[in-house]
Amino acid sequence: MIRTTHVTFVLAAALLVACAPKPSAAPAAGQVDLARLQGADSEPDNWLASGRDLGKTHYSPLQTINRETVGTLGFAWEYQTGTNRGMQATPLVVDGVMYVSGMGGRVYALDAATGAAKWTFEPQQDLRNVRGACCDIVNRGVAVWQGRVYVAGFSGTLYALDAQDGHIVWQTDTFQDRSRAYSITGAPVIAGKVVVIGNGGAEYDSRGYLSGYDLQTGKQMWRFYTVPGDPSKPQESKALEAALPTWKGDKWWERGGGGNPWDAISYDPETNLVYFGTANGAPWSRDQRSAGEGDNLYLASIVAVNADTGDYAWHYQTTPGERWDYDATPHIMLATLKLGGADRKVLMQASKNGFFYVLDRKSGELLSADPFVATTWASKVDLKTGRPVENTALADYSNGPKLLFPSAVGGHNFNPMSLSPRTGLVYIPSVHSGMVVAENPLPPHKRERIATGVQVAFSGQLAAPQSLPPSMRKLTDPAFLKTQPDIAMSASLKAWDPVSRKVVWEFKNSSFMDHGGVLSTAGGLVVQGGLDGKLKVLNDQTGELIKEIDVGTAMIAAPMTYRVNGEQYLAITAGTGGGGWNFWFPENIAFTNGNANRILAFKLGGGATPKPEPLPPVAPLPEPPAQVGTASDIAAGAKLFAANCGSCHGNAPRSPVPDLRRSGVVRDGAAFQQVVRGGSLTARGMPAWDDLLTEAEVTQIHAYVVSTAREGYAAEQKASAKPAASKREGVSQGHL
Ligand code: CA
C-alpha cells in the first residue's frame, strides 16, 4: 500500500502555556452541542455547522456588513494551503477559531481574526482511491462537536480530531469493500449520538450506503445501504427487501448499483431523522442496469432514516428509474414555510434534475415540485402520485441519442444555496445546460473503472457538429432545435420564492461552470464567489450587484460570515475544481493563476486583496516524440485511456493535472511505465495502476498519448499564424 506523507502539526500548545493559566482562560475549543446549534441565531458571531444552523440555511443574522457599509469591504487576511485542487468547504467558526477542510480532507484550524494556524491535519491517504473518483480530490467540510472536529478523508477514513490541537482521538475505515470505487468528498453531520457520513462512486462500480458512528468511540452503529445487493442473498434491511422488486435483470449488483450519498445530509432533532440524497445508478443506463425497467429504489431519492438505528422512515424518489445522472444529492435544507395559511416544517432541495422540491419532512409528503431551470426530461411532477411526467420522446435514449435538459451538471449541483428569512427567498446557484445522451455498450465489468453505459455531449456542442459522434449530429437540425431551450449554456444565481414557486430575480454568472455557493445575511446581502475570481455582493431583494472584489482566484465554495472581537468578517475558500475538472474550460483557466488554494477573509475598511502572480502565457506544445506502436495499438490505447485516464487527464493547459502532450515522461516509454504502473509520481497525486493495467496495456496507452502529442503539435503548427482560444470539444463519459 502506498501512502503519502502523514504530518500532524501541533502548534497550539506552545502558545497556551506561554502565559500563566488563569481561571478566565479561553474556553475549551470546539464546544458545540445541540443546545448551541438550536440556538444558533442567538449567537450570530459563530458559524457552528456547515450551513450555520440545523436547517443549513447558509444565512447569517450579522448585519454590520450591509448594503450601506459594504462599499469598504476589503481584504483582512489569507491562509495559503499549498494545494491546488477544488476548494468546496464552507468554514466553521466556533468562539474565534475557524475550522475548515481542503484537499482530500486536510483540516486547518485558524485564528479567525488573523488567519494564523493553530494546527493543521493531513489524513493518511491511499492514493489508489483516486482511480475510482470522478471529480477531483475535494472535501466539503467538517463537523465540530463537543471538543472534536470530525472529517472524512478522501480514501474513506473518518476521523475524530481533538479541537484543541488536532490530534486523532479515533479513526475508522468506512469502506466496506476496497476492491470497489468508493471515495468520500462530503462533510459529516452530527445526528444525536452518531456522526453520519456517506460516500461517492456511482459512476463506477460501487454500492452506496450511509453510516452512523458513535461519537465517542467511532464504533459503527448502523449502516443503510441505498440499493439492494445480490438478490440470492438476504438483504440487509426491510427497506431493501421492499426495493428488490423495483430492480430487474440479472446482474445489477455486479456493478454495485450506485445510489451513493456523496453530499447532502441533514438532521432534525425534532423528528430524530437523518435526511440524505442518493446518486444515480451504476451504470447510468437503465437498459444496461435493470433490463430497461423498474424504479430502482432508492436511486435518485431523498431518504429519511432514524438517527439512532438507521432504520428506514420514508423516501421520496425524485427521478424514478434514473438514467440521466440526476443525483438527488444537492443540499437538503430544513425550514418552516407558511403554506396554505399553515406553518409547515419542510425539507427543500433544488435537484440536479431541474425541479425544486418541497416535502413535509416528518412524513415525506410531496408539497410542491417546480422547474427552476429549463427542464425537458419531464413536463411536470404529478403532485397526487408524486411522480414526474416523463417526456419520453425527448428523454428516452434507448432508441437513439436524445437532447434533454438539464445536463448531468445539474440545474443545481453541490454548491450550497441559501435561505434568507428576511426575504423568504432561496438563492440557488443554477445552471442552464442540456446534454445529448446515447447508449454506449458496457465492457465486461472491471473493478474501479468508470462505466456509465452512455456517451454524453453538452448541448453547447450542437453548435459545432464536428465535435459530436456522427450518430448525435442529427440533433443539430435547426427545425428541431427551434423547439428546444437554448443550447448555449449559462449559469445564474436565482432568487426563488418557495411559497409562490417562481423566480423573483436572476443574476447572470460569467459562464455555465460559474455557479459558486451562496451566503445571505441580515445586512440585506447575497454573496457569491465567481469562477472569474471575483467575490460578488448583491442586493438580496433585487439581485443588483453592489460590490465586487477581485481576489484573483476562482471560487466555487459558499462564503460565510462571523464576528470576532466585535469585527464582522466574511470568508470563503478559493480554488476551482470538482465535477468537470478534467474539462478545465478556458473560462476556468483565465483566473486560476495555478489554482493556488487560499482561505480568504474580508472586513470593512480592509485593503486590496493580494493576488497570486499571473502565470506566464501558455507555451506552444513542444516538439513531439516519434510515434510508437501500431495503428491498432493507438486505437486500443485510446479506449484504455478513456476508461482509465480521461476522467482526470483532459490535456487542458493550466489544469492541476498535467497536459500529457507536454510531459517529458511521454517521451520515454520506460519512464511512462514507471509512472503508470510503478507509481513513481505518487507523491504528486498519480497513483500506481499495476494491479489494474498490464504492461502491454500501458504500452498501448503510451502509443495513444504520443499520438495525441503529435496531433496536437501538428494542429498547433498549422494554426500558428492565427492562434485562438477554442472551447474544449469532445464527448465526456461522466460528470459527477
Ligand atoms: Ca452522479
Side-chain angles (χ1 to χ4, degrees), residues 627-646 660 672 693-708:
Q627 183 63 55
V628 292
T630 64
S632 72
D633 286 335
I634 295 169
K639 283 187 178 165
L640 287 164
F641 187 91
N644 298 285
C645 319
L660 295 178
F672 194 82
L693 292 170
T694 66
E695 189 175 338
E697 287 174 325
V698 172
T699 299
Q700 291 175 324
I701 292 172
H702 181 233
Y704 167 70
V705 172
V706 168
S707 78
T708 63

Side-chain angles (χ1 to χ4, degrees), residues 203 262 279-280 284 325 327 352 735-736:
E203 273 62 47
W262 56 262
N280 55 282
W284 290 12
D325 195 25
D327 315 52
K352 274 181 77 177
H735 199 101
L736 285 195

Side-chain angles (χ1 to χ4, degrees), residues 614-620 653-654 662:
L615 293 178
V618 176
R654 293 187 172 175
R662 299 167 189 279

Side-chain angles (χ1 to χ4, degrees), residues 439-456:
E439 293 283 348
N440 186 27
L442 284 167
H445 174 233
K446 278 186 168 180
R447 55 179 273 224
E448 296 177 71
R449 301 309 212 286
I450 198 158
T452 57
V454 297
Q455 274 192 311
V456 179

